[in-house]
Amino acid sequence: MRVRPPIPGTLRVRRFLAWVTAVLCAAVLVPAVARADNPIVQHIYTADPVNWWQFGGAGGGNLIANGDGESGTAGWGVMGAGTLSSNAAVAHGGAASLSVTGRTASWNGPSQDVTSKLANGRSYTTTLWVRSQGGTPTVKATLALTADGTTSYVSLTPGTAVNPDGWTRLTGTATVSWSGALSGATFYVETASGTDGFSVDDVSLQ
Ligand SMILES: [Ca+2]
C-alpha cells in the first residue's frame, strides 16, 4: 500500500492562495457575465421607458383622444352600424360635438380603441355629456374587453335618460380587469334600447 507523502508547508500555502484567487475571480466575473448576457439582470440596469398607467396610480390625463370633439371625428369610430359626424349645430363645450345617426341596433354608437391605454385592475372614472336628436333614449358608456379570445363588457356609467332639449351628464366609476392577454378594448356609447341618434361631447375616461 502506497503512503501519500506529506504535503510541504509552502505548497499548502500556495494551494490555499490559488483557491482564494479562484474564489475572488469568480465573485468578480460571474456578476459581470450576468449583467452582460442575462436579459433579466440587464433589465434592472437599463432605464426602460415606464408609463404612468403601469403603476395604476392616480393622475394622468384623459384616455379618450379628441373627447371634446373639437378636432372633427379624429380618433373616433362607430361600434357597429351608423355614421359619425362633427356637429357644429350643438356643442356642450367649444364649437362642436360628435353626432351619430343611422344606428340599426341599440349597441351602435361612437367608439374609440383604448387597448394600449388600460391597466389591469385599475379603477376608471368616465364622464360625458349626451343629447338626443329626438326621443328620450337611455344612454350609457360601455367598455368591451377582449382577452384570451373572450369578450366581456364593463358598464362604465349607469344608463341615463337624455333628451333633445339640452345636455345630460353621464358619469360613473368602474374597476377594469381581465384574465389573460388583452387583445382589444373599445370604449363606446350606446342606448339601452332603440336606435335614436344622439350627440356626445366632453367625453373623458381617466
Ligand atoms: Ca366640444
Side-chain angles (χ1 to χ4, degrees), residues 68-70 93-94 96-97 201-202:
D68 60 8
E70 299 303 303
S97 62
D201 203 354
D202 295 331

